[in-house]
Amino acid sequence: MSLLSMGAGEPRSLTGPPGAESALFTPDGQSILVQAREAEKRAIHRVDFGTGSSTPVFEVEGPVVGSRRGAPWAISPDGARLAIQDVDGAVSAWPLSGGAASPLIRLIAHEKLLRWDRADSLLVGALDRRTGFVDRVNLSTGARTRLHEINMLDEAGVLFDPFLVVSQDGRAYAYSSSRFLNSLYLVSGLR
């Protein structure tokens, strides 16, 4: 695993756990949380930038939502808790200092956890081959606010579920998808 500089500088090697699938920067910028698959569970490790070493934090048993880019998860703005979505749509908060998880919300079908944008709200969304949305969900009341309606500009050739990301404040979003396009030709006069 390597840490690349946004400007000039050499890549730094970091020691991550085997089976690493995705990583998330902590709000203080001093470490990353790495999610690693170990059989039917996910292990969360903290990789410290100062030492470059990896420390196990906790394990999540049972199936969690997977995708081509890892499972949906989000860190609280204070860096104290990690929200993880399971296959049934339940999102739980795991204390990074240790202890049991506590339930946060339950998402509806096809929704994914995108970001923990404020102490009291999560950003969630869904995007299929044509349309989607981004909502802010208040954790105290469960109230939803629609931030974005998404209509793909060109859905031609979209093969896989598009990947949706949102900015920390929820004001901007981006998506990407794999496309497969062909050309069809009409040939006449062949013998």
Side-chain angles (χ1 to χ4, degrees), residues 67-136:
S67 73
R68 293 178 291 135
R69 295 171 177 90
W73 56 327
I75 193 165
S76 62
D78 63 3
R81 298 182 294 164
L82 187 66
I84 299 176
Q85 179 181 348
D86 72 16
V87 294
D88 295 326
V91 177
S92 299
W94 294 77
L96 292 173
S97 60
S102 58
L104 289 176
I105 61 173
R106 181 170 295 278
L107 301 179
I108 60 176
H110 307 296
E111 280 187 328
K112 288 203 172 56
L113 172 63
L114 299 173
R115 189 174 288 278
W116 200 327
D117 75 325
R118 300 178 184 159
D120 67 344
S121 62
L122 297 176
L123 299 179
V124 302
L127 182 61
D128 62 19
R129 293 173 191 239
R130 294 171 194 86
T131 62
F133 63 88
V134 175
D135 285 353
R136 177 175 281 126

Side-chain angles (χ1 to χ4, degrees), residues 5-54:
S5 173
M6 292 293 290
E10 295 295 317
R12 286 186 50 204
S13 279
L14 302 173
T15 303
E21 291 187 329
S22 55
L24 185 67
F25 282 90
T26 57
D28 64 8
Q30 300 302 306
S31 60
I32 56 173
L33 298 175
V34 176
Q35 185 181 124
R37 180 187 300 263
E38 296 175 2
E40 284 300 312
K41 60 187 172 188
R42 306 280 171 139
I44 306 299
H45 297 255
R46 182 185 300 269
V47 179
D48 182 83
F49 294 154
T51 64
S53 63
S54 174

Side-chain angles (χ1 to χ4, degrees), residues 168-186:
Q168 179 66 43
D169 61 6
R171 292 174 43 188
Y173 67 89
Y175 62 84
S176 67
S177 63
S178 298
R179 300 175 76 182
F180 185 74
L181 301 174
N182 290 311
S183 298
L184 180 63
Y185 299 93
L186 175 62

